[in-house]
Amino acid sequence: MSTPYPFTAIVGQDDLRLGLLLNAVSPAVGGVLVRGEKGTAKSTAVRALAALMPEVPVVPGCRFSCDPVSPDPACPDGPHAEAAGVSRPARTVELPVGASEDRLVGALDIERALAEGVKAFEPGLLADAHRGILYVDEVNLLHDHLVDLLLDAAAMGASYVEREGVSVRHAARFLLVGTMNPEEGELRPQLLDRFGLTVEVSASRDTDERVEVVRRRLAYDDDPEGFAARWAEEEGVLRERIAAARALLPRVVLGDGVLRQIAATCAAFEVDGMRADIVMARTATALAAWAGREEVTADDVRKAALLALPHRRRRNPFDAPGLDEDKLDQTLDEAGPQDDHDDDGPGPRPDGGDDGGGGGGGGGVPPQADGEDRTPPQGSEGDSPSPAPEGTPDAPGRPAGGEQQPVAAAEPFRTKMLSVPGLGEGAAGRRSRARTEHGRTTGARRPEGALTKLHLAATVQAAAPHQRARGRAGRGLVVRRDDLRQATREGREGNLVLFVVDASGSMAARQRMSAVKGAVLSLLLDAYQRRDKVGLVTFRGKEAEVALPPTSSVDAAAARLESLPTGGRTPLAAGLLKAHDVLRVERLRDPSRRPLLVVVTDGRATGGPEPVALAGRAGRLHRSEGTASVVVDCESGYVRLGLAGELARELGGTAVTLDELRADSIAGLVKDVTAAGRAA
């Protein structure tokens, strides 16, 4: 095993280190989610934490790490006789993003269970992580079925394995630590809420600090053992401080006044449920113990709020994380004792400092949240000035060339279900029908490789005719490998939803473009909920461009959409051809993920020779390759040309108006996407 990088050798990242240390002091805090750009020591810090954790007493020989003082009565290796426990280091168990369900929860030997009636169980990663750390790198990319299993285990403190009447249960209480890069997509709200704390990390912009990071990393790579030895004393001091804080933790007093501040803060920020209140109380208590105090102060509450609340305030993936610190200070001040505001109040500190014994800093303040003025400057893309009169191309809001500044999107709404027809085999998701490992059972087949989902009835049916020839004498069924049948299941897959958005002058009316952006934003939100990849192609002027290559980060697509300017001609054919190029490359990268083309336009085409005919040929190109498509018709006014409908027919898809796109619309009760060629 390689020597881990020392925790105390990490440069900067005070919030990250504080969040991890608080969980080491009080595992009841509930884990930590680390959000940040790549290359910011997220994984390094998590792996280094294990060396600081106190050793764990376990029952000798127990594969499920039972506590010898109070062993689990339902332990599959039990019951345990009274015996002296042995100590071992705390484990950090890593859950790979592509792990199977059996690897996470464990696997039953189905053949022995059927033939002998015994529970031959091989523990999984949840058993290994019991009373330790379960670390998930890139947790936002975890498949939905693994997320569901994690949620169940985190909620119940136990893992259940149910297979065709055979049941195994074991304890699974662990410290959940996840790292993620927000550029690659957001996390499901249910799992997000299971993390007690969240911290935002970013690379330092200080030259001296960056130099020190490189110097230490190169020294570690040259001689890991020697580098670790140089930091052994600091590691020992930190380990002793964690142990002392753990010992002090039961004596820390959480007064009624402080508890009222916690409740008032959670109410003021409108967080869902009561978990935030509990996590804040536990975090504030851990902060006091870490500082060597036996009483929680208002400053502890403030730091706890900055760590425990930002990720619980997000209502959708487009909400920016973070907390309004002025509002936080005001809430704490109003809920605190009335006679000591001037002395003990948690008001804003001019220097942004951290005066509460935070062990190297922290407070969970997200980057760019320390009072930075976020008001966009005049002339920036965040401005939305009124359109200038015609003939004034250089006036604010109308740059030269007829281009208009971006307009804000209208309020998003719940959209109708758009799906790709047929049966796919793509990544698990929630949009189109697909053959998956999870879902309803539709049949049985011989397994290819390891058996993962047994079809019991088909297995018994295959084995039954051979029982006499196999000399069956007892109650058990004599089952051979050739008798086993794999269940085939049908569920839902995630698709690649590629948006092709018309940003030309014909769409440039501010009210109209605002409605269009609101519709696309609504579809992006739907794509996030259905676990799709998304891409964005825009066209205007003389060409089309890929505003966002296919990605899992729908908030990145929303940001590009928000800053989208409009104006100029309508090169519809260029937009469709650019989309064809994007889909061609994506088919090579991920051939199992089926695309859904969403063209948002009024159907007009201008610029170049025969623009309408050229757009029709580009549409037929998509149709010939079987690309499922839908055209969102943005045409408005009393006189409608119906060009978007013509485009939908060329694509072999369906046209829907903005009103019909709404889930609560009466105009279009059923609007399924038609497969290419199916309408022919």
Side-chain angles (χ1 to χ4, degrees):
M1 181 178 179
S2 61
T3 304
Y5 193 91
F7 190 88
T8 51
I10 296 173
V11 179
Q13 305 297 9
D14 296 334
D15 294 342
L16 169 59
R17 290 188 292 153
L18 179 62
L20 292 172
L21 289 171
L22 291 177
N23 276 276
V25 171
S26 176
V29 165
V32 60
L33 173 66
V34 186
R35 296 166 45 93
E37 59 196 34
K38 51 189 175 290
T40 49
K42 299 188 298 292
S43 301
T44 299
V46 174
R47 295 188 178 103
L49 180 66
L52 303 175
M53 299 286 285
E55 290 192 337
V56 179
V58 297
V59 173
C62 178
R63 297 175 298 168
F64 302 89
S65 303
C66 279
D67 189 342
V69 177
S70 56
D72 182 6
C75 177
D77 285 356
H80 297 296
E82 292 186 8
V86 296
S87 294
R88 63 161 176 78
R91 292 174 179 162
T92 295
V93 177
E94 294 194 33
L95 171 60
V97 169
S100 66
E101 179 181 336
D102 288 343
R103 184 71 188 100
L104 178 61
V105 300
L108 290 169
D109 188 331
I110 301 295
E111 190 170 350
R112 288 189 62 193
L114 288 173
E116 305 173 29
V118 298
K119 296 179 182 178
F121 180 70
E122 184 66 28
L125 296 177
L126 289 179
D128 293 341
H130 179 46
R131 305 176 67 202
I133 301 171
L134 181 62
Y135 171 48
V136 190
D137 193 14
E138 306 295 350
V139 64
N140 51 324
L141 303 182
L142 204 61
H143 289 301
D144 273 0
H145 67 283
L146 297 182
V147 170
D148 293 337
L149 293 170
L150 272 182
L151 287 172
D152 289 342
M156 297 183 292
S159 175
Y160 292 84
V161 182
E162 305 284 348
R163 295 286 175 84
E164 286 75 29
V166 181
S167 176
V168 173
R169 173 213 169 273
H170 65 83
R173 292 182 296 275
F174 46 82
L175 180 63
L176 182 61
V177 180
T179 57
M180 61 174 282
N181 184 349
E183 294 177 356
E184 298 172 344
E186 285 296 337
L187 201 58
R188 276 177 54 181
Q190 295 92 333
L191 184 56
L192 191 64
D193 189 52
R194 283 291 169 186
F195 287 96
L197 311 178
T198 183
V199 294
E200 298 273 347
V201 297
S202 61
S204 172
R205 299 297 181 257
D206 180 81
T207 302
D208 293 337
E209 195 167 288
R210 295 175 74 97
V211 167
E212 186 61 23
V213 169
V214 175
R215 181 183 291 116
R216 292 186 186 183
R217 186 69 209 190
L218 293 178
Y220 170 78
D221 291 340
D222 290 341
D223 182 10
E225 291 80 8
F227 184 81
R230 291 196 293 274
W231 290 89
E233 183 176 350
E234 288 83 351
E235 292 281 288
V237 171
L238 189 57
R239 194 179 295 110
E240 291 175 1
R241 185 176 177 185
I242 292 173
R246 280 196 169 195
L248 178 62
L249 189 66
R251 304 197 301 273
V252 175
V253 176
L254 187 69
D256 289 343
V258 169
L259 198 55
R260 179 172 292 277
Q261 285 183 313
I262 291 173
T265 301
C266 293
F269 285 99
E270 300 179 350
V271 296
D272 295 332
M274 296 297 298
R275 183 173 288 117
D277 303 63
I278 297 170
V279 170
M280 271 190 66
R282 290 171 174 166
T283 305
T285 304
L287 280 163
W290 180 244
R293 289 183 272 103
E294 294 188 5
E295 185 173 355
V296 176
T297 66
D299 194 59
D300 294 329
V301 175
R302 186 181 193 276
K303 293 177 187 176
L306 291 169
L307 288 166
L309 295 188
H311 62 299
R312 291 186 166 88
R313 295 188 60 249
R314 302 191 76 183
R315 294 295 185 265
N316 64 62
F318 312 135
D319 291 340
L323 217 59
D324 185 339
E325 294 194 50
D326 290 337
K327 180 179 178 180
L328 173 61
D329 292 331
Q330 181 181 355
T331 302
L332 292 174
D333 189 57
E334 291 174 353
Q338 298 300 313
D339 58 349
D340 60 354
H341 287 182
D342 295 335
D343 298 328
D344 300 325
R349 294 177 293 278
D351 60 354
D354 178 18
D355 58 358
V365 184
Q368 299 181 342
D370 296 309
E372 179 181 338
D373 185 7
R374 298 176 182 272
T375 304
Q378 285 292 330
S380 74
E381 290 186 347
D383 295 334
S384 297
S386 300
E390 295 293 336
T392 54
D394 296 329
R398 186 181 296 275
E403 179 182 303
Q404 293 185 8
Q405 287 285 5
V407 299
E411 190 70 21
F413 51 85
R414 189 166 63 91
T415 65
K416 277 187 171 63
M417 173 68 169
L418 303 175
S419 61
V420 179
L423 197 63
E425 295 181 344
R430 299 177 181 177
R431 183 172 296 278
S432 305
R433 294 173 54 229
R435 287 182 288 269
T436 63
E437 289 294 319
H438 305 272
R440 62 185 182 90
T441 301
T442 58
R445 60 177 174 81
R446 291 181 180 273
E448 299 174 1
L451 179 73
T452 56
K453 296 289 184 181
L454 178 75
H455 194 295
L456 182 59
T459 299
V460 172
Q461 187 176 5
H466 308 291
Q467 295 306 296
R468 181 173 296 179
R470 293 173 181 173
R472 174 185 172 186
R475 298 174 59 186
L477 188 68
V478 181
V479 179
R480 302 281 172 81
R481 174 69 185 176
D482 291 342
D483 301 327
L484 299 179
R485 294 294 182 269
Q486 173 85 21
T488 57
R489 304 197 174 199
E490 182 178 312
R492 294 280 174 178
E493 67 177 359
N495 298 111
L496 166 59
V497 182
L498 181 61
F499 294 93
V500 182
V501 180
D502 185 348
S504 65
S506 66
M507 304 279 287
R510 299 181 69 79
Q511 185 175 359
R512 185 177 175 192
M513 197 62 198
S514 177
V516 168
K517 285 188 175 183
V520 179
L521 197 65
S522 303
L523 290 167
L524 283 171
L525 182 58
D526 182 69
Y528 163 75
Q529 294 168 340
R530 300 190 188 281
R531 315 302 288 173
D532 295 317
K533 289 180 69 174
V534 297
L536 180 62
V537 172
T538 64
F539 59 93
R540 65 186 179 91
K542 297 182 179 180
E543 59 185 15
E545 65 174 347
V546 181
L548 183 72
T551 175
S552 296
S553 179
V554 295
D555 52 342
R560 301 291 172 88
L561 178 72
E562 192 69 23
S563 62
L564 178 65
T566 58
R569 295 182 178 273
T570 312
L572 178 57
L576 294 174
L577 293 174
K578 180 68 72 173
H580 179 267
D581 291 341
V582 172
L583 294 180
R584 177 178 55 81
V585 173
E586 284 302 307
R587 284 190 181 99
L588 297 175
R589 291 176 176 172
D590 190 358
S592 64
R593 188 181 289 270
R594 297 186 296 165
L596 173 61
L597 184 67
V598 179
V599 184
V600 185
T601 181
D602 57 10
R604 290 181 171 86
T606 60
E610 300 183 344
V612 176
L614 187 59
R617 288 197 294 272
R620 291 192 292 275
L621 178 61
H622 283 281
R623 181 174 181 171
S624 67
E625 296 187 353
T627 303
S629 59
V630 60
V631 177
V632 180
D633 185 357
C634 303
E635 191 173 25
S636 61
Y638 294 106
V639 179
R640 294 176 179 267
L641 303 178
L643 297 175
E646 291 291 337
L647 177 62
R649 284 188 283 276
E650 298 285 10
L651 287 165
T654 301
V656 296
T657 65
L658 290 175
D659 288 337
E660 291 171 341
L661 192 61
R662 294 178 178 269
D664 55 358
S665 170
I666 302 176
L669 297 178
V670 180
K671 284 290 182 182
D672 294 329
V673 180
T674 305
R678 177 169 293 189

